Amino acid sequence: MTGKKSISIKHFLRISLAVMLLFLFIISTLYYLFIYTFSRDQFESSFQTFSESIEAQLDAQFRNVEHSVTQLSYFSNMQEILFSKKPLVYLNNISGCNQLWGYLKTSLPIITDVIITSPYGHTFYSGTTGKCRYQKFAEKIIQENKNMSREPFFLTIPPEDDSNQLPQLVYCFPVYNTLLSGYISDEYALGMALIDVNTLVGLSSSEKYVGEIKAILYHNNIVYISREVSQLEMSALHKRTPGKFRIGNVEYTCHTVMLENIDMSMIDMVPTANLLQSSAQIRIIATTVLLGTCACLIFSTWLIQHYISKPINQIIADMQDIQAGIRKSLTLPNLSDLRYLAESINQTLNVLDIANRRQLEMSHTLYQTTLAQKQAQLNAYKNQINPHFLFNTLESMRSMAHHYQVPILENMLTSLSSLFRYSLRSNLVVSLKEELNHVQHYFNVMDMRSPLRYELRVDISSKALSHSLLSMILQPIVENSITHGFQRKRKPCILFIQGQVNEESGILLLKIADNGIGIPLEKIQEIEQRYSQEGEALHNDHIGLDNVLRRLHLFYGKDFRFSLRSQENHYTVITLYIPNFPSEPSR
């Protein structure tokens, strides 16, 4: 019969490895296309999106500046300081103004200092140094802008001495008198809020690109710049051109945030080649992880193939050796699943081996039994007429003894006739009572041969009398005791038979004891050894005992047990443990 085509585990693992490598190759290709083809546009787009968000953040910061200075300027204490002509008004209100300023500065750190100059000579200044400089600058602004618009504006204060310093960005705003019932347009104070440029720069991206230039321009004045620049780079900053352009051999990507209402711009120029360098480490790590994953998968697949294929090949080789008869069991592998499989196969092989040996032994036993049965049939045919002749002869002799009035001879012949009749015509299994009757006839014959030499004592329970057992068991043991145990023994020669049934197990405990010369220890060991070795020849002086033990063992099997105890010149005791029914014969 042709079965379905199968595949070995080794080939299956190799195919799985090839499919996995193909899958990894596809993933690697897609990864390359994404990282090196699309990531540039993605980073530029993200950079543009962040730059555009700067404008919204700047608007929010400047609205907060306007709100804070308005809240400070039109505070009642501040109005008293700015527009009251009383001499002690400054001292009475400056504390409350300082407290309000401390709160506002904590909530809005973009404002470093605030100076408000009153037309009446009172000036509020939040700082500790530079008050005169800023006050003079405020007076200059008022003189140059007598008709100043009511709208606030930004300007820059140039550096005082050092030309390397950056200009100061200032938010200028008018403060009107609210102490009177109406606004007086010509009566106002000038306020200036000094802006922290570093805070504005902090709104830009946290990414650091090689060659990056960050700058803040106000009216074409560079308020802040992140590094020294060349003339060409300075020119590009003043142009504020967004997009890509080239300076020399370097291409730049420029993003500009313009606040047209205050004419301020935030410019971020990054070399295009370096735009993706910030993600180089991420790409290297991702590539390393991908290659490491591939290596680990390949190595793990090889390990799986090695640790699975090796024990499987060993099992196959062991099975071939078992089929060839070289070995009888499998080598146990380390893998738990395969180990369980090998143990199960070994158990099955062991069971099959035991069954095979039992089959051979049963075949041998059957052959021996059949041979013995044939021999018995031949003996039966041969001696078929002998028992009839023997019984007739014994009956004639008993009649003659009765006629001539010889009662001793008559009793002997009666017992002898019963002995032969029981030996030849009894059933295979009889009751203990029938066995005891048979023993009594035998003892009568022996007592007539040696009057008053032997004494038979019997202690059998009523339940034990009805217990079944194999026929012709007691007489050979009794004969063995009389023939050998009492051979050199002076009277009284006592033979004791005791029998009782165990209530729980139903086993008959049959004990036969005599006070004869005993059996040497080495002969007891020899009897026990021959009992355990089937087929051992019987060549000692206790053939009757050997035959009884073998018959009981063959008939009752493993359920039959016996014990033999003896002390030379004192006693011999044999105890038989006979079950109710025979079990399977032992091997």
Side-chain angles (χ1 to χ4, degrees), residues 44 47-56 58 213-218 220 235-245 252-260 263-270:
E44 290 182 1
F47 188 50
Q48 177 67 31
T49 301
F50 179 80
S51 299
E52 292 173 355
S53 70
I54 295 297
E55 184 174 359
L58 284 174
I213 303 173
K214 292 182 179 180
I216 299 179
L217 273 69
Y218 177 72
N220 287 328
S235 176
L237 289 174
H238 283 290
K239 290 180 180 179
R240 312 179 190 181
T241 303
K244 295 179 181 179
F245 55 88
Y252 284 89
T253 299
C254 181
H255 295 286
T256 303
V257 177
M258 301 185 65
L259 301 177
E260 296 180 354
D263 195 16
M264 178 180 287
S265 302
M266 292 190 67
I267 304 172
D268 203 344
M269 293 173 49
V270 181

Side-chain angles (χ1 to χ4, degrees), residues 442 446 449 453-454 475-489 493 495 514 516-517 541-544:
Y442 173 77
M446 300 307 295
R449 290 176 56 186
R453 176 176 173 78
Y454 307 111
Q475 186 270 330
I477 298 177
V478 171
E479 181 180 358
N480 196 74
S481 295
I482 293 175
T483 304
H484 303 290
F486 299 148
Q487 185 177 14
R488 296 183 301 276
K489 173 71 176 177
C493 299
L495 187 66
D514 64 61
I517 62 174
D541 297 333
H542 300 279
I543 295 177

Side-chain angles (χ1 to χ4, degrees), residues 198-430:
N198 291 325
T199 303
L200 295 179
V201 176
L203 299 175
S204 61
S205 173
S206 60
E207 292 284 349
K208 300 298 180 182
Y209 302 106
V210 178
E212 180 183 15
I213 303 173
K214 292 182 179 180
I216 299 179
L217 273 69
Y218 177 72
H219 289 298
N220 287 328
N221 293 323
I222 297 179
V223 180
Y224 170 83
I225 191 168
S226 61
R227 67 172 177 87
E228 293 184 2
V229 295
S230 64
Q231 292 295 331
L232 294 176
E233 292 172 337
M234 182 67 74
S235 176
L237 289 174
H238 283 290
K239 290 180 180 179
R240 312 179 190 181
T241 303
K244 295 179 181 179
F245 55 88
R246 186 174 293 275
I247 299 177
N249 295 326
V250 181
E251 183 185 66
Y252 284 89
T253 299
C254 181
H255 295 286
T256 303
V257 177
M258 301 185 65
L259 301 177
E260 296 180 354
N261 56 338
I262 60 175
D263 195 16
M264 178 180 287
S265 302
M266 292 190 67
I267 304 172
D268 203 344
M269 293 173 49
V270 181
T272 305
N274 298 331
L275 186 60
L276 295 179
Q277 284 186 358
S278 61
S279 62
Q281 185 176 6
I282 298 176
R283 294 199 305 272
I284 292 173
I285 294 175
T287 304
T288 304
V289 170
L290 182 63
L291 294 177
T293 303
C294 295
C296 290
L297 288 175
I298 294 173
F299 181 70
S300 62
T301 304
W302 178 83
L303 282 180
I304 292 173
Q305 178 180 349
H306 175 74
Y307 282 103
I308 292 180
S309 298
K310 183 177 179 180
I312 289 178
N313 292 335
Q314 182 65 44
I315 290 176
I316 294 174
D318 290 348
M319 289 299 295
Q320 292 174 350
D321 292 342
I322 291 173
Q323 292 175 354
I326 300 176
R327 59 185 305 147
K328 292 186 177 181
S329 62
L330 299 177
T331 302
L332 297 180
N334 293 327
L335 295 178
S336 59
D337 296 339
L338 295 178
R339 188 181 186 90
Y340 175 77
L341 178 62
E343 289 176 348
S344 301
I345 293 176
N346 285 341
Q347 291 177 359
T348 304
L349 292 174
N350 188 38
V351 170
L352 292 176
D353 183 62
I354 293 174
N356 185 43
R357 285 190 281 112
R358 284 184 177 178
Q359 181 67 30
L360 292 176
E361 292 171 356
M362 290 177 64
S363 299
H364 177 71
T365 303
L366 180 61
Y367 171 76
Q368 295 293 335
T369 303
T370 305
L371 184 62
Q373 183 178 4
K374 297 296 184 182
Q375 185 65 39
Q377 289 177 352
L378 291 175
N379 291 334
Y381 291 140
K382 179 179 180 181
N383 299 321
Q384 187 173 9
I385 198 171
N386 293 339
H388 181 70
F389 172 77
L390 179 61
F391 294 150
N392 289 339
T393 303
L394 291 175
E395 182 61 26
S396 299
M397 293 174 65
R398 187 193 66 79
S399 299
M400 292 176 63
H402 178 74
H403 177 74
Y404 291 106
Q405 297 182 358
V406 186
I408 296 177
L409 181 59
E410 181 182 2
N411 293 335
M412 177 182 290
L413 291 173
T414 300
S415 297
L416 187 59
S417 177
S418 297
L419 283 174
F420 282 112
R421 185 175 290 105
Y422 184 84
S423 300
L424 297 174
R425 296 183 178 179
S426 64
N427 296 326
L428 181 62
V429 177
V430 296

Side-chain angles (χ1 to χ4, degrees), residues 12 65 86 97 171 177 203 231 244 314 381 446-447 451 523 566 581 586:
F12 177 77
V65 169
K86 298 178 182 180
C97 293
Y171 174 71
N177 187 357
L203 299 175
Q231 292 295 331
K244 295 179 181 179
Q314 182 65 44
Y381 291 140
M446 300 307 295
D447 185 58
K523 286 193 174 294
S566 181
F581 302 100
S586 62

